[in-house]
Amino acid sequence: MVALLVVVVPVLWALQRAAPAGEALVNQGGLGPLGDLLATVAHPALGGDFLKVVLRATGITIAYAVLGAAGALIVGGVGGLVLSDAVWGPAPGAAVRAVRLVLRGLLVAVRSVHELIWALLLLSVLGLDPLVAVLAIALPFGAQTAQVFGETLDGVPPGPMRALRSAGVRGLPAVAYGLIPGAGPLLISYSFYRLECSIRSTVLLGIVGVGGLGQELVVSLSARLWGEVWTLVGAVVLLSAVVDLWSSRLRSDLALVSCSDWSGGTQAGTAVRAPGGSRWARWSARAVLPATVLAWFASGVSVSGLFTPRTHLLTTRLLGDLWPPKLPRGGWSALLGAVADTLAMAVLAMVVAVGITLLVGPWASRSRAHGNRGVLPAALWWFARAVLLVLRSIPPTIWAVVALLALFPGVLPGALALGLYTGGILGRLVAEAWESVDVQPRDALRRSGIAGGLSSLVATVPPSSHQLVTYTLYRFEICVRDTAVVGVVGAAGLGRLFQENLAAFRFPVITTLLAASLAISVAVEVFGRRVRRALRG
């Protein structure tokens, strides 16, 4: 009963905030363009000149994603070594403890700011430079990678490293030869998982004009060139599918770790290296350096822009303008209202995402014990997987722009956009987790004469429910942070306030909004971790 109230009360509150009495929600004027968009789904633009534009934008997207992921791995590698308890031993010195404490706090602050917000801040210093996209991905992803790398190193058996240290080997060589080889498969597989995430984020960053498929999508949507929109959507989905398949194959080759393992925080020390079949992984690892060099030259990225007098001047001016913090127009009422809208959006988005997961997820889960179950189940599996892929491949900003054609700005279009995007991710996570559910109880029930549907329901729903709750809590934490994305394009919440004040150069207000965003992210993360820990018992 208490658990039911914990779910129902926030949902009712969020619904009341999303649809206040007496206010119109549907924008009748936008239904026409939305109908035109849907009517052209079978007529994508396939002209030669436009396909060249799509091809060039795809190349830019891949290049930025590769460089952003590479930057994140550099930050994460150094940060992971500093944060790891195994590297420093049980009793590090006071100076080391102080440095690690400061770094841990800094990384939490960096990863609490969404990559889109990083891009907007970097634009005010660097302008429309390719380095904006790379840094906007590398900074928050690097902070997150550092945490995962540190936990992964701590999960490796410390015996080899201790033996080397006992033999007089210095600290860094002992880590290199005694600790990192044991964590190698997990570190590499997570690195490619980060690349998969970087592709999605690079498309999302197109909203601020950094180039790539995301920017072309926004341009075509603004000009209402619906045929071009569908072509670009197809390119985004195809690119996501290729990277998704590559990343999944690599993870299964290197270690028995799935996206759901990473997301659930159970990756450290739990993976088992798959026997054989690692040729794909070896070739992928060998391609990393050439691909990074190629992406560097193809993108035209240069770090020289970081060290120009103009950059120094603009950075100094920006830091000066950000202080002291100031409340937005409307004072505390406006700030707290935006915070409430942010939380309401996240709650309703998770309702939509869970609904999609329950509706599509079971069909997207292929139990390893089933094998070949016939044409119809296989077709349903492919269809469900395709639906989830499309939902998570299209950035929430694009979903929000489409939703804002039919709905007035507010909590509802933002929640709908985030819910569709999150539903694609949550559905995949839960489907992967459901594939690992033990089917022996179900088979035993069937052998005892219980009907197939009822036996599956009784044997798999309890463990499935636990995984659904765990991943829903995890995605809720991410969803709160992602509300900034849909707010920037005009939905509601702190993101909308952020965009309005940044456009008006009210930088002291930006500081307040960043602090509020950090406070919410930390509070929700702490809450979610405690609940997940309690569920694990």
Side-chain angles (χ1 to χ4, degrees):
M1 190 60 171
V2 174
L4 187 63
L5 288 175
V6 168
V7 174
V8 170
V9 171
V11 171
L12 292 177
W13 167 78
L15 281 173
Q16 185 275 330
R17 193 152 190 95
E23 289 191 11
L25 298 176
V26 178
N27 178 12
Q28 298 291 340
L31 294 180
L34 183 60
D36 294 339
L37 172 64
L38 297 177
T40 56
V41 64
H43 305 285
L46 298 175
D49 291 340
F50 183 66
L51 289 182
K52 289 179 182 176
V53 172
V54 175
L55 191 61
R56 185 168 60 250
T58 304
I60 291 173
T61 300
I62 295 173
Y64 288 173
V66 168
L67 294 178
L73 295 179
I74 293 173
V75 174
V78 175
L81 288 174
V82 176
L83 294 181
S84 170
D85 294 329
V87 170
W88 298 99
V96 172
R97 290 201 304 271
V99 170
R100 293 178 64 194
L101 183 63
V102 171
L103 181 64
R104 195 181 295 276
L106 183 63
L107 291 175
V108 169
V110 169
R111 74 167 187 262
S112 71
V113 179
H114 196 279
E115 48 266 31
L116 186 61
I117 304 300
W118 275 113
L120 288 170
L121 291 173
L122 289 167
L123 275 174
S124 63
V125 174
L126 298 172
L128 280 176
D129 191 296
L131 195 58
V132 170
V134 176
L135 290 177
I137 294 172
L139 289 173
F141 280 15
Q144 194 167 346
T145 302
Q147 181 190 8
V148 172
F149 276 14
E151 292 175 356
T152 302
L153 291 174
D154 290 344
V156 174
M161 181 177 165
R162 288 177 182 171
L164 289 172
R165 294 303 301 270
S166 300
V169 178
R170 289 178 174 273
L172 194 56
V175 170
Y177 291 101
L179 201 60
I180 291 181
L186 281 168
L187 298 181
I188 295 174
S189 60
Y190 182 79
S191 301
F192 280 90
Y193 170 65
R194 268 294 138 212
L195 174 62
E196 183 183 334
C197 297
S198 295
I199 291 284
R200 286 198 290 266
S201 291
T202 305
V203 176
L204 186 150
L205 292 180
I207 194 76
V208 299
V210 297
L213 288 169
Q215 179 174 322
E216 296 298 334
L217 254 174
V218 172
V219 170
S220 296
L221 269 172
S222 302
R224 301 190 176 185
L225 299 171
W226 308 130
E228 293 185 2
V229 169
W230 288 116
T231 304
L232 289 162
V233 166
V236 170
V237 172
L238 182 61
L239 178 60
S240 299
V242 170
V243 176
D244 190 292
L245 289 173
W246 183 24
S247 180
S248 298
R249 167 75 184 274
L250 195 68
R251 285 197 302 275
S252 65
D253 254 16
L254 286 170
L256 300 180
V257 174
S258 64
C259 287
S260 54
D261 294 319
W262 293 119
S263 304
T266 59
Q267 72 281 10
T270 61
V272 179
R273 193 183 182 107
S278 59
R279 180 179 297 176
W280 180 267
R282 287 199 300 272
W283 279 107
S284 297
R286 289 169 185 165
V288 167
L289 185 58
T292 306
V293 173
L294 181 63
W296 181 272
F297 287 107
S299 64
V301 169
S302 172
V303 295
S304 61
L306 290 174
F307 306 104
T308 64
R310 180 177 179 274
T311 301
H312 180 264
L313 175 65
L314 291 177
T315 304
T316 305
R317 185 181 298 171
L318 176 63
L319 294 175
D321 290 342
L322 287 170
W323 196 261
K326 187 178 178 182
L327 287 170
R329 289 180 178 177
W332 282 105
S333 175
L335 180 62
L336 295 177
V339 169
D341 283 347
T342 296
L343 292 173
M345 256 195 300
V347 169
L348 292 181
M350 292 314 302
V351 172
V352 175
V354 170
I356 291 171
T357 300
L358 293 176
L359 188 64
V360 183
W363 304 105
S365 178
R366 183 171 54 186
S367 172
R368 293 168 183 168
H370 280 185
N372 186 5
R373 299 177 299 171
V375 176
L376 183 59
L380 285 173
W381 181 83
W382 279 106
F383 178 74
R385 286 275 174 160
V387 168
L388 296 177
L389 174 67
V390 170
L391 289 176
R392 68 174 180 270
S393 298
I394 300 175
T397 45
I398 302 302
W399 284 121
V401 170
V402 174
L404 285 167
L405 288 176
L407 301 170
F408 285 112
V411 171
L412 203 55
L416 185 59
L418 275 176
L420 292 172
Y421 174 73
T422 307
I425 297 175
L426 183 66
R428 180 195 178 186
L429 292 176
V430 174
E432 278 189 357
W434 284 350
E435 288 177 353
S436 63
V437 171
D438 186 4
V439 296
Q440 291 183 11
R442 182 208 60 195
D443 295 340
L445 288 172
R446 286 181 177 176
R447 285 194 295 272
S448 65
I450 306 297
L454 183 59
S455 61
S456 297
L457 195 69
V458 172
T460 59
V461 165
S464 302
S465 302
H466 176 82
Q467 289 161 331
L468 176 62
V469 172
T470 300
Y471 294 128
T472 298
L473 286 168
Y474 165 74
R475 286 308 309 180
F476 178 67
E477 296 169 25
I478 306 295
C479 204
V480 170
R481 179 173 169 268
D482 284 352
T483 53
V485 174
V486 292
V488 165
V489 295
L494 288 170
R496 185 174 179 180
L497 267 185
F498 188 93
Q499 174 63 12
E500 290 174 355
N501 286 280
L502 190 61
F505 302 105
R506 300 190 194 104
F507 290 106
V509 179
I510 297 298
T511 306
T512 304
L513 299 177
L514 289 175
S517 178
L518 172 63
I520 294 174
S521 297
V522 171
V524 171
E525 186 174 330
V526 170
F527 171 77
R529 285 190 176 189
R530 290 193 174 183
V531 174
R532 292 205 302 273
R533 194 178 300 131
L535 289 173
R536 286 197 295 267

